[in-house]
Amino acid sequence: TAAFELTIRRNPVSVTLRDRQGKTLIDNWIVDFTKPNASWLLAANEHIYGFGDQRTDIDKRGQTLELWNTDTDFHAGNLGAAYKSVPMYWSSAGYGVFLNNARKSIWKFDGSSARTSISVDGGEFDLYVFVAPNAKELIGRYTELTGRPALLPKWFFGYHQGGAGN
């Protein structure tokens, strides 16, 4: 059996993604082919997690994230900047989205409505959607695509001395 069902409508082009039980995961996904932009509806109780090294709430629902790696002083209050922006999130609804584009991207998870959007500052709009029954399998599918780190040698896990925060 299929892991999911994809329904594509025309005029305007929109997509709906459902799991094998028929539960809607992504609803009314509208892609704008004139510029790198897409929007869709989130479920009322849906929570959003991910995006790498972000100094914001764990649940990204109600936030606007500008993903662009930059060097910053987090102590000065610039919480939106990140050393490691990862344009991927996973949803409590059972899916994940990865944007394969290194350009600056804006992800809006509107708190006042269910509408969410992604816009990219140029380049290809190369989106991947992962469907899985739990976060572990979803992240496994993501790393199957993007690559997994090699296990470091045993000596690496020995004593460590750092100066961060001094």
Side-chain angles (χ1 to χ4, degrees), residues 72-151:
T72 187
D73 182 3
F74 293 113
H75 304 292
N78 187 3
L79 301 180
Y83 290 121
K84 297 174 289 303
S85 296
V86 179
M88 187 275 180
Y89 78 84
W90 64 274
S91 165
S92 61
Y95 71 93
V97 175
F98 169 59
L99 173 64
N100 186 25
N101 186 318
R103 305 283 296 264
K104 183 186 296 185
S105 59
I106 308 291
W107 300 67
K108 294 182 181 179
F109 299 98
D110 194 348
S112 60
S113 74
R115 181 60 62 186
T116 240
S117 67
I118 305 172
S119 60
V120 184
D121 191 21
E124 296 290 324
F125 199 62
D126 189 13
L127 282 175
Y128 291 82
V129 177
F130 306 94
V131 177
N134 58 55
K136 181 178 179 181
E137 287 185 40
L138 194 135
I139 298 301
R141 291 178 183 167
Y142 165 71
T143 59
E144 183 178 9
L145 173 71
T146 60
R148 296 182 175 128
L151 181 61

Side-chain angles (χ1 to χ4, degrees), residues 10-67:
R10 294 187 286 191
N11 298 330
V13 174
S14 67
V15 175
T16 299
L17 177 68
R18 292 182 182 84
D19 68 10
R20 69 178 68 180
Q21 287 79 32
K23 175 185 159 195
T24 299
L25 303 177
I26 298 177
D27 191 22
N28 197 23
W29 189 336
I30 300 170
V31 178
D32 183 349
F33 291 103
T34 62
K35 56 187 174 201
N37 190 319
S39 67
W40 61 95
L41 297 174
L42 296 177
N45 60 347
E46 189 171 348
H47 302 281
I48 304 297
Y49 307 100
F51 297 108
D53 184 17
Q54 299 291 318
R55 303 290 202 264
T56 61
D57 293 338
I58 292 174
D59 187 351
K60 305 306 182 199
R61 186 79 185 249
Q63 297 182 40
T64 296
L65 300 168
E66 182 178 295
L67 298 185

